[in-house]
Amino acid sequence: MSEHPLVQAYLADLDRALVGSDPREHQDTLDAVREHLEEALGEEPTSDDVRRVLAGLGSVDAIAAGTTPVVVPPAVTVLPAAPAPGRADPGALVALVASLVAVLTLFLSPFVAIPLALVALVVAILRVRRPSGRSTLAWSALVVSGTTLVLSTVLGLLLIAVGDSSPEPGPVHSEPAAER
Amino acid sequence: MAAESDALLTQLRKGVLEYCVLACLHSGRAYGLELATRLSRHQVLFASEGTLYPLLSRLRRLGWVETTWQESTSGPPRRYYELTPDGRPALEQFTRAWEPFRQDVDTVLAESR
């Protein structure tokens, strides 16, 4: 029986149809159907016998539909671990330190303070937007860096404006010595 | 229409077919082909013989059915299915629940006519 091509094709189809079924039911069902065919067909069945028995078994899809689907665990999205309560958010801390350094360099060189404050502001915004990131530290960094950025930008623009409006020194003319 | 009817029958069979298989084994053990032939006489319940085997697998996992191998004089060894001590009370519980359930469904349908 097992060598008849129609039987081999049917069992192969059934095996494929059972993909996605619970593994134990997959194997049990395949074994049981094979035993059913061996019992029903004997050693040398005719093709008509085989077709009749396969028709009685029904479609492989109908058989597979009666199995339990394998349960696939839902995809787990791994979020970065939120800082433990009571512990400072390291990202917010970095943003606050950077914004304080920007404040310190504000009057030394606003053109250094601007990029520093900008980076601090971006990091602070990212930390505040996180569900677990709404800490005082993150908000403080946001406020300080934002303020520093505005001030350093204004200061930088003023310096540029003052530099443009100051008269350019002309060539130096030395008075000729008075003729005696 | 035929597809809708098939879908309806599929829903109705759920929760019932496994107990019908247990009922077939109540009188004694049977091998797969024997069970399939007996059940296939009831075409509304079992449209195809092959659908018996996933049910038997689940009943084995539930511990309500177990299998044993028996040598056969007429061919290869046969796998026999039989009720376990846990399977019998499960069948009895279904049998107690089925009759009032069936009567209520019949009554509601009759009242709707």
Side-chain angles (χ1 to χ4, degrees), chain B residues 60-75:
Chain B
R60 289 169 67 187
R61 285 169 59 200
L62 285 169
W64 293 352
V65 167
E66 61 186 359
T67 64
T68 52
W69 286 98
Q70 177 95 29
E71 288 180 0
S72 169
T73 55
S74 58

Side-chain angles (χ1 to χ4, degrees), chain A residues 25 28 35-36 39 57 66, chain B residues 50 53 57-58 61 78-79:
Chain A
E25 287 185 30
D28 285 350
E35 289 157 22
H36 177 112
E39 189 72 40
L57 273 172
Chain B
Y53 297 111
S57 175
R58 271 202 296 286
R61 285 169 59 200
R78 281 174 179 159
R79 186 199 302 267

Side-chain angles (χ1 to χ4, degrees), chain A residues 9 25 43 49 60 62 69 94 120 131 140 152 154 159:
Chain A
E25 287 185 30
E43 289 293 323
D49 288 339
V60 297
V94 165
S140 302
S152 54
V154 167
L159 284 175

Side-chain angles (χ1 to χ4, degrees), chain B:
Chain B
M1 193 66 182
E4 288 170 3
S5 176
D6 285 346
L8 174 62
L9 282 173
T10 299
Q11 288 301 313
L12 290 172
R13 287 173 189 137
K14 286 180 183 176
V16 172
L17 283 184
E18 288 163 351
Y19 295 97
C20 292
V21 173
L22 293 182
C24 280
L25 292 172
H26 184 260
S27 55
R29 65 179 193 169
Y31 56 94
L33 179 63
E34 184 182 358
L35 271 175
T37 305
R38 202 186 303 175
L39 286 163
S40 64
R41 295 197 310 243
H42 312 284
Q43 283 286 299
V44 176
L45 273 181
F46 273 94
S48 63
E49 294 171 351
T51 55
L52 166 66
Y53 297 111
L55 290 178
L56 283 171
S57 175
R58 271 202 296 286
L59 290 171
R60 289 169 67 187
R61 285 169 59 200
L62 285 169
W64 293 352
V65 167
E66 61 186 359
T67 64
T68 52
W69 286 98
Q70 177 95 29
E71 288 180 0
S72 169
T73 55
S74 58
R78 281 174 179 159
R79 186 199 302 267
Y80 280 84
Y81 299 86
E82 58 186 322
L83 286 184
T84 64
D86 287 340
R88 290 189 185 279
L91 174 60
E92 288 163 11
Q93 192 173 24
F94 175 80
T95 307
R96 281 196 299 273
W98 175 253
E99 190 53 36
F101 179 84
R102 187 192 64 76
Q103 285 180 359
D104 271 1
V105 172
D106 287 343
T107 303
V108 167
L109 291 177
E111 287 172 353
S112 68
R113 292 193 197 106

Side-chain angles (χ1 to χ4, degrees), chain A:
Chain A
M1 178 284 307
S2 59
E3 295 178 2
H4 196 287
L6 287 177
V7 169
Q8 286 183 330
Y10 183 88
L11 289 173
D13 277 353
L14 179 60
D15 195 17
R16 273 190 294 273
L18 289 170
V19 167
S21 300
D22 175 87
R24 264 188 71 174
E25 287 185 30
H26 181 148
Q27 194 58 52
D28 285 350
T29 301
L30 205 54
D31 289 345
V33 168
R34 189 178 291 114
E35 289 157 22
H36 177 112
L37 288 165
E38 284 176 354
E39 189 72 40
L41 294 172
E43 289 293 323
E44 293 180 8
T46 64
S47 291
D48 285 344
D49 288 339
V50 172
R51 287 193 192 90
R52 177 180 48 80
V53 171
L54 292 181
L57 273 172
S59 77
V60 297
D61 292 330
I63 297 173
T67 59
T68 308
V70 67
V71 176
V72 179
V76 175
T77 304
V78 177
L79 293 173
R87 288 187 59 196
D89 176 7
L93 191 60
V94 165
L96 184 60
V97 167
S99 56
L100 290 173
V101 171
V103 169
L104 291 174
T105 57
L106 179 60
F107 296 100
L108 291 175
S109 173
F111 302 107
V112 171
I114 289 173
L116 205 55
L118 186 61
V119 168
L121 181 64
V122 168
V123 173
I125 289 172
L126 290 174
R127 301 313 289 185
V128 163
R129 284 184 58 158
R130 287 162 52 83
S132 56
R134 298 173 194 240
S135 63
T136 307
L137 209 56
W139 278 110
S140 302
L142 187 70
V143 168
V144 172
S145 57
T147 308
T148 307
L149 184 63
V150 169
L151 284 176
S152 54
T153 304
V154 167
L155 207 56
L157 289 172
L158 278 174
L159 284 175
I160 291 169
V162 165
D164 283 347
S165 63
S166 61
E168 287 188 21
V172 175
H173 297 285
S174 56
E175 289 286 336
E179 289 188 2
R180 296 194 181 140

